[in-house]
Amino acid sequence: MPSSQDPYDVLGVARDASPDEVRKAYLKLAHKYHPDKTGGDKTAEEKLKEINAAYDILKNPEKRAQFDRFGATDGQGFGGFGQGGFGQGGGQGFEAPFEDFFDMLFGQGGSRQRPGGARPGNDLELRLRITLEEAYKGTKKKIRFSRAENCAECHGTGAAPGSRPETCPQCHGTGQVRVAHGFFSVTRTCPGCAGAGRIVSKPCRHCNGRGQRKANRELSVDVPSGVDSGSRLRVGGEGEAGPNNGPRGDLYIHIEVEPHPLFTRDGVNILCELPVTVTQAALGATLRIPTLNGEAELKIPAGTQSGKQLRLRGLGMPDLRGYRQGDQVVKIAVETPVKLSRKQKELLRQLESESDSRSYPLRKQFQETTRKGR
Ligand SMILES: [Zn+2]
Ligand SMILES: [Zn+2]
């Protein structure tokens, strides 16, 4: 689904539609564009894919919230996953809703098994710590993790080389059996093969008949600029291998941005506190200060008070979609000098004796208010 497409538009529901309304709208459209109705019409097929992709987002509270926030869900809006097989799972996004669709249509909840026991692999979740500078610029990170891979010896079948898994005689390969239950018959997972649909009589000794082994995987991940702690990147098709050669799960990377010694983040803005001397604050100064994009000049106007916030436009974080850039907000902290020499003290006393109330309007106002209050 192109990221420009709005799932709310596709399903024709309001932004605040309830999960039930979303589901009803989806079912109505899915019926309308189902291949049985349209006779395999290509445009209808495309339309159905859009409908499925839209429902995939809106039925999942997490994805829906993410779309509402960023206008895209993981992996779609970021668009940075071009290399190393990233984004190959694009087609997989359609499978889950399709199954949902059939489950709902035929009322067979839990019938996710395909003949032959192929099942989608598990999703994996990883945590990735990055620095604020990396979050600012975007970065490429090598990650290593362990995941289930199909056993190379038996090609994921679990059967010893030279033998083959046999179709389970109890369920004839469907993985499910019907059990009479009064007037009804109920579908249950087949006890003969535990739902796999196949029985391995001579197990592969490399994987003990499981068909899978753990293996290390190294990936280079593009972390888009603007990510924050709590951002989640989806790398399609990099999760665990699916049992019996089912499709791979997805990999989810949870971003954690390390605290920075100078900067804190407030949405797209970067905050920092800048200590200045009494003289700099009083006379004004132009200072070079650190930003996430190297040094920048900050003009401090004469007569700047402590707590004053000055703004360096465009030197904050980019937002995830690249539409705008925040500011760096510099909070001035006038530092009272300490450990003064005799001479410095003398100069300060001179300064004090030269000053009158015009130089201290705040103090003057305070004193006047106090007097009136008496
Ligand atoms: Zn094996
Ligand atoms: Zn069976």
Side-chain angles (χ1 to χ4, degrees):
M1 184 176 89
S3 55
S4 62
Q5 249 164 336
D6 186 324
Y8 292 99
D9 292 345
V10 172
L11 294 187
V13 293
R15 299 263 143 193
D16 57 355
S18 69
D20 198 46
E21 285 167 338
V22 169
R23 196 179 74 95
K24 278 186 184 143
Y26 165 70
L27 282 178
K28 207 170 150 195
L29 288 169
H31 274 290
K32 186 175 165 192
Y33 290 100
H34 190 266
D36 287 351
K37 289 254 171 78
T38 61
D41 176 64
K42 278 280 167 224
T43 346
E45 217 171 90
E46 282 307 306
K47 185 78 189 156
L48 186 59
K49 276 186 187 171
E50 280 170 20
I51 293 162
N52 280 319
Y55 183 55
D56 185 42
I57 293 169
L58 295 190
K59 74 170 176 178
N60 180 325
E62 209 175 311
K63 283 188 190 173
R64 183 171 174 177
Q66 200 180 5
F67 180 86
D68 290 342
R69 248 181 98 195
F70 298 126
T73 57
D74 293 323
Q76 291 186 338
F78 297 141
F81 299 131
Q83 304 93 340
F86 286 6
Q88 281 179 355
Q92 274 173 252
F94 302 134
E95 295 195 9
F98 247 122
E99 280 170 349
D100 257 19
F101 172 50
F102 286 116
D103 285 354
M104 283 188 236
L105 222 57
F106 304 114
Q108 293 187 348
S111 65
R112 296 197 167 214
Q113 233 99 308
R114 281 154 233 223
R119 294 194 301 268
N122 289 329
D123 292 338
L124 285 175
E125 314 235 346
L126 288 179
R127 218 179 331 169
L128 180 63
R129 275 176 82 92
I130 61 171
T131 64
L132 187 63
E133 283 86 353
E134 288 172 327
Y136 174 75
K137 289 204 169 96
T139 181
K140 208 179 221 350
K141 282 277 178 186
K142 267 219 170 93
I143 50 168
R144 269 175 76 92
F145 57 101
S146 158
R147 68 178 183 187
E149 297 282 2
N150 283 325
C151 169
E153 303 297 323
C154 61
H155 306 288
T157 65
S163 78
R164 280 166 153 230
E166 289 142 42
T167 302
C168 170
Q170 272 190 60
C171 62
H172 308 287
T174 62
Q176 296 187 327
V177 287
R178 288 192 160 268
V179 185
H181 204 82
F183 289 109
F184 306 100
S185 76
V186 178
T187 309
R188 290 253 167 83
T189 300
C190 170
C193 59
R198 307 192 284 184
I199 290 174
V200 174
S201 44
K202 270 209 265 171
C204 163
R205 57 195 176 83
H206 292 273
C207 61
N208 294 321
R210 282 194 295 270
Q212 295 196 328
R213 303 166 74 180
K214 285 277 176 192
N216 286 330
R217 169 82 172 152
E218 197 175 280
L219 264 186
S220 157
V221 184
D222 281 317
V223 180
S225 84
V227 290
D228 200 352
S229 287
S231 299
R232 197 176 74 153
L233 309 183
R234 192 191 81 140
V235 188
E238 285 291 351
E240 302 208 287
N244 297 310
N245 295 305
R248 271 190 189 284
D250 297 330
L251 173 66
Y252 289 96
I253 300 170
H254 296 260
I255 299 291
E256 216 182 288
V257 181
E258 291 168 8
H260 192 280
L262 288 180
F263 303 127
T264 53
R265 183 169 174 173
D266 177 21
V268 288
N269 290 333
I270 289 291
L271 315 179
C272 80
E273 198 172 271
L274 178 69
V276 299
T277 67
V278 174
T279 314
Q280 286 169 333
L283 302 182
T286 300
L287 301 178
R288 292 194 69 76
I289 63 156
T291 76
L292 285 170
N293 192 31
E295 282 196 335
E297 262 184 11
L298 179 71
K299 238 184 135 107
I300 297 165
T304 295
Q305 301 296 342
S306 217
K308 172 88 182 165
Q309 295 195 347
L310 302 172
R311 222 163 245 270
L312 289 166
R313 300 250 169 232
L315 284 172
M317 300 296 285
D319 83 347
L320 258 182
R321 306 192 73 195
Y323 287 165
R324 68 198 185 104
Q325 188 99 17
D327 302 329
Q328 178 166 332
V329 178
V330 182
K331 191 174 169 191
I332 299 297
V334 178
E335 185 170 13
T336 307
V338 294
K339 291 187 181 164
L340 298 174
S341 69
R342 191 174 298 212
K343 179 152 188 210
Q344 285 172 315
K345 287 178 188 167
E346 186 48 43
L347 287 169
L348 277 177
R349 282 191 196 102
Q350 262 180 49
L351 173 71
E352 189 77 350
S353 63
E354 289 283 326
S355 308
D356 58 26
S357 62
R358 273 179 307 163
S359 303
Y360 295 100
L362 290 178
R363 200 175 61 145
K364 186 180 166 205
Q365 197 190 4
F366 180 84
Q367 285 170 340
E368 280 173 4
T369 312
T370 311
R371 258 180 244 125
K372 269 185 218 148
R374 273 198 196 134

